[in-house]
Amino acid sequence: MTSLTLKTKLALLTTVVLWGSAFVAIRAALQDYSPGGLALLRLLISSIAIYFVLFRSRKERSPIKKRDLFRVLFAGAIGIGFYNIALNYGEILVPSGMASFIVSQIPVVTTLLAILFLGEKINRIGLLGMCLSAIGVGLIALGHRGEFGFYVSIVYVIFACFAVGCYNILQKPLLQRYKAMHLTAYAIWGGTLVLLVFIPNLIHDLQHTTLKATAIVFYLGLFPGVIGYTTWSYALSTIPASRAASFLYFMPVFATLIGWIWLDEIPALIALVGACVALLGVWIVNHSYKRLVKVSATH
C-alpha cells in the first residue's frame, strides 16, 4: 500500500472536478447536438489535442508495444467510446445531477472487479465506508423526486458506469509498464475509432448547431477529456484501483453545485445531506487504507 502524495491528491481533485462538470456540460450540449454527434466531436477534439501534447517532441515518443496495443485500444473503446455514447443517450432524459449520482457507483464496480481480477483487498472498515457512501448517493438520488423512474435512459447511464469500471481494471496492469499520458492517448484514440459510425450524425449536427454548443463540446474534449483522463491515469498508476475509484464519490457533489449554478438544477435538502454522508464514506475508506499501510509496515 502507498500513501497519497500531494501530486496524487491534485490529480484526483482535478479529475473529480472536471468529470463532475462534464455531466452538466453534456446536458447543455445535447440541446443542439445528437448523442452520437456530441460523443464523436468530443473525442475527435481530444484525439487531436492529445496527439500534439504527446508528440510535441521526438523525445516524448514511447509507443505502446504491439502485444499491449489491442488491450489499450479495447479499454478505450469500452471506457471512453461506449461510456460517452451511453452517457449521452442517458442524459437526454436524466438530469446531469442524477446521471452523476448513478455513475458515482463506479467505485463499487471497480472494487468488485479489482478484487476478482487484480487480487486487491479491502478490510471491513473500508467496506463500511463504501456502503455509507452508497447510502449517501441514494439520499442524493431521493432528492430528485419523480426522476428515478423506469427510464430507458437510466439503463444507459448504468451501462456507462460499468464501462468505466471495466476500463479501470483493463488499464491498471498496463500502468506498471507505460506512462499515464501515453495510455490515455491510445485509449482516447480507441474510443474515437468505435464512434466513427456517427460521422453522418456529426455532419448533420454541425449544420444546425450554435457556436455556444460547439464551444461546450470543445471544453468537454479538452478539459474533462484530455486533462481529466490523464490525471486519472496518473492517479491509477500510484494507488490501488479501488482506492482511486473511491474518490469518484465526490463527483455528484461537484456536478450538483455546477448544475445548480449553470442549469439552475436546485438540489433538495435531502440531496445535500446525502452529499455529506457520501463524503464521510470516502473519508472512512481512505482511513481504512491508512490503517492497512500501518499494519503492513509492522510486519
Side-chain angles (χ1 to χ4, degrees):
M1 290 296 175
T2 57
S3 58
L4 283 175
T5 63
L6 178 60
K7 289 180 64 176
T8 300
K9 291 178 180 178
L10 290 175
L12 289 168
L13 177 61
T14 301
T15 301
V16 169
V17 172
L18 291 180
W19 283 3
S21 70
F23 292 98
V24 185
I26 289 172
R27 181 77 168 169
L30 284 172
Q31 296 178 11
D32 291 277
Y33 278 89
S34 65
L38 170 58
L40 176 57
L41 180 57
R42 175 183 178 180
L43 289 190
L44 284 174
I45 294 169
S46 296
S47 296
I48 295 172
I50 204 166
Y51 175 82
F52 284 106
V53 171
L54 185 61
F55 294 140
R56 63 184 181 277
S57 68
R58 293 183 179 274
K59 294 181 180 180
E60 291 294 326
R61 298 195 177 190
S62 179
I64 306 296
K65 294 181 180 179
K66 291 183 178 180
R67 65 184 183 185
D68 295 324
L69 182 59
F70 175 78
R71 182 169 184 168
V72 178
L73 294 176
F74 180 68
I78 294 177
I80 297 180
F82 290 166
Y83 168 79
N84 273 275
I85 190 63
L87 182 60
N88 288 355
Y89 270 105
E91 286 205 50
I92 291 178
L93 295 178
V94 179
S96 58
M98 173 67 71
S100 70
F101 304 150
I102 298 173
V103 173
S104 70
Q105 296 303 309
I106 288 173
V108 177
V109 176
T110 302
T111 298
L112 292 176
L113 293 177
I115 292 173
L116 290 174
F117 298 106
L118 300 183
E120 294 187 6
K121 298 180 180 179
I122 186 170
N123 58 25
R124 294 180 179 179
I125 297 178
L127 288 174
L128 174 63
M130 297 291 283
C131 292
L132 190 59
S133 292
I135 292 173
V137 172
L139 291 174
I140 295 173
L142 289 175
H144 294 261
R145 297 179 181 178
E147 299 289 346
F148 221 160
F150 293 96
Y151 294 141
V152 174
S153 296
I154 291 181
V155 177
Y156 279 116
V157 180
I158 292 174
F159 178 79
C161 176
F162 275 87
V164 177
C166 293
Y167 172 78
N168 293 338
I169 300 304
L170 287 170
Q171 185 189 49
K172 179 64 177 178
L174 297 174
L175 288 167
Q176 308 303 319
R177 300 192 292 273
Y178 304 104
K179 292 182 179 180
M181 192 68 172
H182 296 127
L183 287 178
T184 301
Y186 283 93
I188 288 177
W189 295 335
T192 305
L193 286 175
V194 299
L195 294 180
L196 291 179
V197 295
F198 294 103
I199 289 179
N201 302 70
L202 176 58
I203 294 175
H204 177 271
D205 293 342
L206 290 174
Q207 294 174 343
H208 301 85
T209 189
T210 63
L211 181 61
K212 178 181 178 181
T214 302
I216 294 174
V217 181
F218 267 85
Y219 168 80
L220 285 167
L222 295 176
F223 289 88
V226 175
I227 298 176
Y229 275 103
T230 300
T231 52
W232 176 245
S233 295
Y234 174 79
L236 279 177
S237 69
T238 59
I239 58 177
S242 54
R243 186 181 186 188
S246 69
F247 284 86
L248 297 182
Y249 277 119
F250 284 98
M251 279 197 311
V253 179
F254 288 102
T256 300
L257 291 175
I258 297 172
W260 190 349
I261 297 172
W262 188 353
L263 301 180
D264 199 27
E265 295 179 342
I266 302 176
L269 178 59
I270 189 174
L272 296 178
V273 173
C276 295
V277 174
L279 291 178
L280 176 61
V282 173
W283 181 85
I284 292 177
V285 170
N286 287 285
H287 181 67
S288 71
Y289 274 105
K290 291 180 181 179
R291 291 188 60 181
L292 284 175
V293 171
K294 292 180 180 179
V295 172
S296 299
T298 58
H299 285 75

